[in-house]
Amino acid sequence: MKSINFVSTGILLLLFGTIAPMYAGQHEETQQQDKGKQQEDQNKGQQHGQQQNESKGQQQHAQQPQQEQNKGQQQKAQQQDQSRGQQQKAQQQPQDRNKGQQQKAQQQTQDQNKGQQQHAQQRQPDQNKGQQQKAQQSQHAQNTPQQQAHLQQRPSQQGERVQPNERQGVWQQHRASNWQSQHRTWQQRGGYSGYRIPNNRFQVSFGESHAFHIRSYPLVVFGGYPSFQYGGFWFSILDPWPESWDANWYDNDDVYIGYYGGGYYLYNRRYPSDPIAIEVYLN
C-alpha cells in the first residue's frame, strides 16, 4: 500500500510539475495578451484622441480661412455698397444741380416770355391808340360848309369876358353833381360839328405832350359855357367838370387838348379817365 501511495504521490507531483509550469506560462501569456490588448486599446485611444484633435484642428484651420473669407467678402460687399452709395450720391448731385439749373432756366425763360408778352401787350394798345389818334387827326384837314359857317362865331367878340375875381364863381357854376350821368361824349351828342384844327397845327401845339394851366389864358362865357383861349383857338367847355376833381383844378392841374372818337376833349392828367367834351372856335 505504501508503495502504491508513494507511486501515486510521485505521479501527482510529476503531473503538478508539468502542469504548473504550463499553467503559469499560460497565465503569463494571458496577462501579456491582456496587457498588450490594454496597450493596444490605449494606443487606439491615444490615436483616436489624436485623430480627433487633428480633425478638430483641421476643422478649426479650415473654418478660420472660411471665416476670414466670409469676413473679407462681407467687408468687400460693404465697401461695394458704400462705393455704390457714393456713386449714387455723386450722380444725384449733378442731377439735382442740373434739375435746379433747368428749373431756373425754365423760370427765366417763362419770366422773359411773360415780360415780352406784357411788353407786346402794352405796346399794342399804345400802337392802336397812336393809330387811332393818327387816323382821327387826319380828319382835321378839311372843314365842311357847316363848319365853315361855324367860323363866323367868335367867342372873343361875342362872349362875356370874365374878370380875375370872377373866375372861381364861373367855374363853380359848371361843376357836376353826378358827372357820370351828366356828361356826354361826342357820339352821344350826334357827332362833332365844330371847327377842326389842321393837322400841322394840332401836332405842334396840342395833344398829350402839350400840357398847360387854364389859369394862364383869357376866360370868357360864350353861349353859357366857360371858354378859354389857347394856341390860337378858343375852346368852349360843354361838359360840367367832375365833382371828384380838385376844387382848384383849373389853376393847378396840367391839362391838354386831345382828339378822340371824332371830336375834341379836354384831358386832366390827374384824372385821365374823365375827358370833358369841348368845341373849337377860331380866334
Side-chain angles (χ1 to χ4, degrees):
M1 287 296 288
K2 292 182 181 179
S3 300
I4 295 172
N5 290 333
F6 182 78
V7 173
S8 299
T9 302
I11 293 170
L12 290 172
L13 290 173
L14 180 63
L15 290 172
F16 180 78
T18 304
I19 294 172
M22 291 177 59
Y23 176 78
Q26 290 177 353
H27 181 68
E28 184 178 357
E29 183 179 357
T30 300
Q31 287 180 348
Q32 290 179 354
Q33 290 177 352
D34 292 339
K35 186 176 180 181
K37 186 177 181 181
Q38 290 176 355
Q39 185 67 34
E40 184 179 357
D41 293 340
Q42 185 177 0
N43 292 337
K44 286 182 178 180
Q46 291 176 355
Q47 291 177 356
H48 181 69
Q50 185 176 1
Q51 290 176 354
Q52 288 182 343
N53 292 333
E54 290 179 356
S55 177
K56 185 175 180 181
Q58 290 175 354
Q59 290 177 355
Q60 292 177 349
H61 183 72
Q63 289 175 355
Q64 185 174 3
Q66 185 67 32
Q67 291 175 353
E68 292 178 355
Q69 184 178 1
N70 294 338
K71 185 176 180 181
Q73 291 176 350
Q74 291 177 353
Q75 291 177 348
K76 185 176 181 180
Q78 291 175 353
Q79 292 175 354
Q80 289 176 349
D81 292 339
Q82 185 176 3
S83 177
R84 190 180 300 110
Q86 292 175 350
Q87 290 177 354
Q88 291 176 349
K89 184 177 180 180
Q91 292 174 352
Q92 186 67 30
Q93 287 178 348
Q95 289 176 356
D96 293 341
R97 191 181 302 112
N98 293 336
K99 184 176 180 181
Q101 292 175 350
Q102 290 175 355
Q103 291 177 346
K104 185 176 180 179
Q106 290 175 353
Q107 185 66 34
Q108 290 177 347
T109 302
Q110 290 176 355
D111 293 341
Q112 185 177 2
N113 293 337
K114 184 177 180 181
Q116 291 175 350
Q117 290 176 355
Q118 290 177 346
H119 184 66
Q121 291 173 354
Q122 185 176 1
R123 289 181 58 187
Q124 188 64 34
D126 293 340
Q127 290 176 352
N128 293 339
K129 183 177 179 181
Q131 292 172 354
Q132 289 176 355
Q133 290 178 346
K134 185 176 180 180
Q136 291 166 358
Q137 289 173 5
S138 65
Q139 300 176 11
H140 302 171
Q142 295 181 354
N143 288 290
T144 65
Q146 182 181 3
Q147 291 166 342
Q148 291 293 335
H150 190 76
L151 298 179
Q152 303 300 321
Q153 299 179 0
R154 304 279 180 171
S156 59
Q157 297 175 1
Q158 303 173 15
E160 181 182 352
R161 184 172 294 273
V162 178
Q163 300 301 319
N165 61 345
E166 299 174 340
R167 294 170 68 95
Q168 183 177 3
V170 170
W171 285 115
Q172 293 302 321
Q173 290 176 6
H174 290 84
R175 184 175 187 176
S177 58
N178 187 349
W179 186 79
Q180 292 297 331
S181 62
Q182 291 176 311
H183 88 100
R184 291 186 298 163
T185 66
W186 278 114
Q187 287 83 356
Q188 293 171 333
R189 295 173 182 272
Y192 180 77
S193 59
Y195 178 75
R196 295 182 181 275
I197 303 172
N199 288 339
N200 58 343
R201 297 193 62 180
F202 188 90
Q203 293 174 359
V204 170
S205 302
F206 304 98
E208 187 174 0
S209 59
H210 300 280
F212 59 93
H213 291 169
I214 291 180
R215 73 165 184 265
S216 303
Y217 300 92
L219 180 67
V220 301
V221 176
F222 177 68
Y225 302 106
S227 305
F228 62 92
Q229 185 185 30
Y230 170 75
F233 299 92
W234 282 89
F235 300 91
S236 290
I237 300 178
L238 307 184
D239 273 339
W241 54 276
E243 68 277 12
S244 59
W245 287 14
D246 187 79
N248 295 321
W249 68 270
Y250 43 85
D251 286 336
N252 303 320
D253 292 354
D254 290 337
V255 299
Y256 63 92
I257 306 299
Y259 186 83
Y260 179 79
Y264 295 94
Y265 294 89
L266 179 71
Y267 288 88
N268 187 329
R269 281 185 173 175
R270 290 182 60 188
Y271 313 97
S273 61
D274 301 331
I276 298 176
I278 58 176
E279 191 168 9
V280 182
Y281 297 91
L282 279 176
N283 192 357

